[in-house]
């Protein structure tokens, strides 16, 4: 089977890499078409999958014809039993190339029409409604994402398969963890700083780091000595750096986010839109409390009872500052929320559960046979 993917980095890349690893372990022949030189291209080759260079940009534009043609050529060369297209651009090109000739699974990872406004959003909704006829199954990562699609008029067969994380990789750390540092700088000694808030995500409008920076002066006023770390890179990096103060560290893109979660006192992701964000799940698996924007997937990802403390309206710096200030001022509350978060992820969001659900979907649509999957046991 073939995964068609654009973008080749961030949360989508991690989701696809986890799926590829699980599928190879079951004996499937797995191929991935994605932009060359990306995090995803390297990761799937390391896993042993066939990786094909597909030069596609994030946005539709003049290159769409060539991108669709090139993907169609790859599909003919690979001859998959099923194509799984991830995110809007791959979903656009794959469905134009195939038009339902072989089973096509489309996974939006958040709807494209939420990222734009006006005429562009209307055109995106119109395309998603039209393309449903060439889609064997739309996979949403949350019930909320499915409801958003239905409200936009997308009429397609649905499956809701929650994102999962590797609970063996993302684990709590005993005791106080040294404050990591960007490449080339020494890590700060444990306990050498005030409480640390970490935000992991692409530096872009979707993830809401601008809202977080607007809220941060009020957080520091409530909790003097608090530190903020933005982990990731993206198109808004320069603008965000210009708006940040001395209490903000830009770690850039890092090969492993796990140490940053372990060093955090609170992990925050004030997104404007999502399907179900991966970073809060990784943080909770690491035993850390989270504060997240109340967007698609957020409520479903949180443990019962955490909504009042951990959810904030998207785009609201005052509400975000108040939520962060409350948690930073109460260490015992942070610790109890972190323990509950870890248990919640173990029981509901283990990546093995996600892999098993996707494998069952492939069997249903294309008769793709895998070895037996067993439900993970919470530890």
């Amino acid at each position: 089977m073939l995964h068609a993917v654009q973008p080749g980095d961030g949360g989508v890349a991690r989701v696809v890499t986890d799926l590829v690893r699980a599928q190879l372990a079951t004996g499937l022949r797995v191929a991935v078409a994605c932009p060359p030189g990306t995090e995803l291209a390297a990761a799937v080759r390391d896993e042993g999958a066939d990786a094909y260079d597909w030069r596609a940009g994030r946005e539709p534009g003049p290159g769409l014809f060539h991108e669709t043609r090139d993907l169609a050529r790859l599909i003919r060369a690979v001859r998959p039993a099923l194509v799984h297209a991830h995110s809007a651009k791959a979903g656009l090109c794959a469905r134009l190339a195939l038009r339902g000739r072989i089973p096509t699974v489309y996974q939006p990872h958040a709807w494209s029409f939420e990222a734009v406004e006006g005429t562009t959003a209307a055109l995106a909704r119109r395309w998603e409604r039209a393309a449903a006829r060439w889609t064997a199954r739309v996979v949403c990562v949350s019930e909320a994402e499915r409801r958003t699609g239905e409200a936009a008029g997308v009429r397609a067969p649905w499956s809701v398969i929650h994102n999962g994380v590797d609970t063996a990789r993302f684990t709590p750390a005993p005791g106080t963890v040294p404050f990591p540092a960007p490449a080339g700088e020494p890590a700060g000694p444990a306990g050498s700083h005030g409480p640390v808030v970490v935000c992991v995500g692409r530096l872009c409008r979707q993830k809401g780091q601008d809202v977080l920076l607007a809220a941060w002066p009020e957080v520091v006023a409530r909790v003097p000595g608090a530190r903020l770390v933005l982990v990731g890179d993206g198109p808004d990096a320069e603008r965000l750096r210009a708006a940040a103060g001395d209490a903000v560290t830009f770690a850039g893109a890092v090969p492993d986010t796990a140490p940053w979660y372990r060093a955090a006192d609170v992990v925050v992701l004030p997104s404007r839109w999502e399907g179900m964000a991966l970073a809060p799940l990784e943080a909770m698996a690491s035993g850390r409390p989270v504060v997240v924007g109340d967007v698609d997937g957020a409520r479903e990802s949180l443990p019962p009872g955490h909504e009042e403390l951990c959810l904030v309206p998207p785009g609201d710096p005052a509400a975000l500052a108040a939520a962060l200030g409350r948690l930073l001022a109460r260490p015992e509350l942070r610790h109890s929320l972190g323990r509950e978060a870890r248990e919640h992820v173990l029981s509901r969001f283990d990546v093995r559960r996600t892999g098993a659900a996707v494998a069952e979907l492939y069997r249903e649509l294309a008769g793709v046979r895998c070895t037996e999957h067993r439900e993970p046991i919470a530890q």
Side-chain angles (χ1 to χ4, degrees), residues 281-307:
L281 295 177
E282 294 170 346
M284 289 191 290
S286 304
R288 296 299 182 256
V290 298
V291 173
V292 293
D294 190 3
V295 294
D296 283 0
R299 290 178 180 270
E300 289 169 60
S301 68
L302 291 174
H306 284 216
E307 296 88 352

Side-chain angles (χ1 to χ4, degrees), residues 14-15 17-23 25-26 161-171 278 281 285 342-343 345-361 363 370-379:
R14 298 198 298 278
V15 168
T17 301
D18 285 338
L19 285 176
V20 167
R21 183 183 302 115
Q23 290 159 4
T26 67
I161 302 175
H162 287 150
N163 279 335
V165 297
D166 184 346
T167 56
R169 175 187 172 199
F170 295 101
T171 59
L278 204 60
L281 295 177
R342 169 74 177 172
E343 293 168 0
V345 171
L346 285 172
S347 66
R348 294 197 58 192
F349 296 104
D350 191 296
V351 71
R352 291 170 292 178
R353 192 183 301 275
T354 303
V358 172
E360 181 59 35
L361 174 64
R363 283 193 289 268
C370 306
T371 57
E372 182 182 4
H373 287 265
R374 295 185 182 274
E375 285 295 316
I377 300 173
Q379 299 177 355

Side-chain angles (χ1 to χ4, degrees), residues 114-130:
E114 293 190 284
V116 289
E117 298 176 343
T119 301
T120 306
L123 289 172
R125 284 191 291 269
R126 186 173 178 180
W127 156 253
E128 293 291 359
R129 291 194 292 265

Side-chain angles (χ1 to χ4, degrees), residues 249-302:
T249 297
F250 286 78
V254 299
D256 185 7
T257 55
W260 289 100
Y261 293 129
R262 295 190 187 111
D265 294 286
V266 177
V267 175
V268 60
L269 190 67
S271 300
R272 289 182 166 90
W273 69 89
E274 294 283 356
M276 175 179 280
L278 204 60
L281 295 177
E282 294 170 346
M284 289 191 290
S286 304
R288 296 299 182 256
V290 298
V291 173
V292 293
D294 190 3
V295 294
D296 283 0
R299 290 178 180 270
E300 289 169 60
S301 68
L302 291 174

Side-chain angles (χ1 to χ4, degrees), residues 1-369:
M1 56 81 53
L2 174 70
H3 292 278
V5 192
Q6 166 46 262
D9 56 10
V12 173
R14 298 198 298 278
V15 168
V16 174
T17 301
D18 285 338
L19 285 176
V20 167
R21 183 183 302 115
Q23 290 159 4
L24 289 170
T26 67
L28 279 180
R29 177 179 168 236
V30 183
V32 178
C34 66
T38 57
E39 168 191 331
L40 178 60
V44 297
R45 286 191 174 101
D46 288 345
E47 294 294 338
D50 296 325
Y52 294 89
D53 291 347
W54 177 43
R55 299 181 185 278
R58 282 180 176 264
E59 307 297 333
L64 178 62
F65 171 80
H66 296 288
E67 292 165 342
T68 301
R69 180 198 61 193
D70 292 346
L71 183 58
R73 288 174 176 169
L74 283 174
I75 292 170
R76 288 195 296 271
V78 175
R79 300 178 63 188
L82 178 145
V83 171
H84 190 156
H86 297 266
S87 289
K89 185 59 170 294
L92 172 63
C93 293
R95 289 182 289 179
L96 284 174
L98 287 169
R99 304 190 182 218
R101 286 189 290 272
I102 65 174
T104 307
V105 174
Y106 171 48
Q107 190 164 345
H109 298 278
W111 293 102
S112 60
F113 48 77
E114 293 190 284
V116 289
E117 298 176 343
T119 301
T120 306
L123 289 172
R125 284 191 291 269
R126 186 173 178 180
W127 156 253
E128 293 291 359
R129 291 194 292 265
R133 67 184 184 273
W134 297 327
T135 312
R137 191 69 51 90
V138 174
V139 172
C140 291
V141 294
S142 66
E143 287 287 351
E145 185 183 42
R146 178 188 61 78
R147 290 193 296 269
T148 296
E150 287 186 331
V154 180
R155 301 289 179 259
W158 303 93
S159 289
V160 175
I161 302 175
H162 287 150
N163 279 335
V165 297
D166 184 346
T167 56
R169 175 187 172 199
F170 295 101
T171 59
T176 304
V177 179
F179 181 64
E185 298 180 18
S192 65
H193 50 74
V196 177
V197 174
V198 172
C199 178
V200 175
R202 188 168 184 259
L203 302 184
C204 62
R205 182 175 179 274
Q206 177 191 1
K207 301 300 181 180
Q209 290 96 345
D210 58 324
V211 181
L212 178 55
L213 291 180
W216 194 246
E218 178 61 25
V219 176
V220 174
R222 291 170 180 247
V223 187
R227 296 285 303 274
L228 172 62
V229 181
L230 302 185
V231 179
D233 202 354
D236 290 354
E238 185 175 346
R239 181 173 61 84
L240 292 170
R241 286 178 185 274
D246 294 338
V248 181
T249 297
F250 286 78
V254 299
D256 185 7
T257 55
W260 289 100
Y261 293 129
R262 295 190 187 111
D265 294 286
V266 177
V267 175
V268 60
L269 190 67
S271 300
R272 289 182 166 90
W273 69 89
E274 294 283 356
M276 175 179 280
L278 204 60
L281 295 177
E282 294 170 346
M284 289 191 290
S286 304
R288 296 299 182 256
V290 298
V291 173
V292 293
D294 190 3
V295 294
D296 283 0
R299 290 178 180 270
E300 289 169 60
S301 68
L302 291 174
H306 284 216
E307 296 88 352
E308 184 176 351
L309 290 167
C310 301
L311 279 178
V312 296
D316 189 335
L320 182 59
L324 290 172
R326 281 193 299 268
L327 291 184
L328 292 178
R330 300 176 64 184
E332 289 304 317
L333 175 61
R334 294 200 306 269
H335 295 157
S336 65
L337 291 176
R339 286 192 298 269
E340 292 168 3
R342 169 74 177 172
E343 293 168 0
H344 180 64
V345 171
L346 285 172
S347 66
R348 294 197 58 192
F349 296 104
D350 191 296
V351 71
R352 291 170 292 178
R353 192 183 301 275
T354 303
V358 172
E360 181 59 35
L361 174 64
Y362 291 174
R363 283 193 289 268
E364 177 186 343
L365 295 179
V368 175
R369 295 186 177 275

